[in-house]
Amino acid sequence: RRVLFRSTGTTVGAQRLIAFQYAADIWASKLRSPTPIRVDAQFSALTCDANSAVLGSAGANTLHRAFAGAPQATAYYVQAAANSLATPAGTDLSPSTADIDANFNANIGTAGCLVSLGWYYGLDGKAPAGKLDFVTTLLHELGHGLGFASAVDDATGAKPNGFDDVFMKR
């Protein structure tokens, strides 16, 4: 993996793409999957006020269980994990759907939304005072989409269709 210490994009959009690819490359260096992991990502208005904000959110678009190659057939796996385990190798269990949907707060630093802060798109992990490290936020949120999250409904405690997710089985 190449190491860059700053984003060389000349527009905010280019800087965001470079940072996103950098974070995706970090995850890719740690994962083994014969199936490409597809991510839909966008900046959108997320909950925010003068003192707090949702920086981002991400999650798997689909859950899969009882697929060929599933180590625990009765447990749900997020789409990227299920695809990496499915047989034959290279199987995409939901080929028309991206594995992960990610949203990042477009309003950070604007009126009424943490106005004194802004996004830092550098790649060195050294966000200056008053900036939020976008790569760190990306890494965190992509982790949720890769399965570092529970599928249990927080409000009710209900399991998806009554089945455990794979983390409940450990």
Side-chain angles (χ1 to χ4, degrees), residues 7-118:
S7 171
T8 56
T10 58
T11 66
V12 171
Q15 291 171 359
R16 289 173 174 172
L17 285 171
I18 290 166
F20 197 98
Q21 188 59 60
Y22 183 77
D25 288 345
I26 291 171
W27 270 113
S29 74
K30 307 294 181 195
L31 302 173
R32 304 266 187 281
S33 179
T35 307
I37 298 170
R38 295 177 298 132
V39 181
D40 283 341
Q42 54 276 326
F43 273 79
S44 53
L46 301 177
T47 302
C48 192
D49 63 32
N51 301 308
S52 64
V54 173
L55 302 181
S57 65
N61 277 321
T62 63
L63 299 172
H64 300 272
R65 60 179 275 287
F67 54 88
Q72 297 184 41
T74 61
Y76 275 111
Y77 293 79
V78 297
Q79 187 172 334
N83 288 342
S84 73
L85 296 166
T87 55
T91 297
D92 189 333
L93 297 169
S94 192
S96 64
T97 306
D99 300 83
I100 299 170
D101 184 52
N103 291 280
F104 299 93
N105 201 327
N107 293 331
I108 299 293
T110 64
C113 183
L114 300 179
V115 70
S116 64
L117 296 177

Side-chain angles (χ1 to χ4, degrees), residues 118-134 136:
W119 287 112
Y120 173 67
Y121 300 113
L123 309 179
D124 58 2
K126 297 179 181 177
K131 297 289 184 178
L132 302 166
D133 193 320
F134 188 55
T136 300

Side-chain angles (χ1 to χ4, degrees), residues 130-158:
K131 297 289 184 178
L132 302 166
D133 193 320
F134 188 55
V135 170
T136 300
T137 303
L138 284 163
L139 290 168
H140 175 94
E141 294 305 331
L142 289 174
H144 290 312
L146 292 167
F148 292 92
S150 176
V152 173
D153 184 300
D154 288 337
T156 66

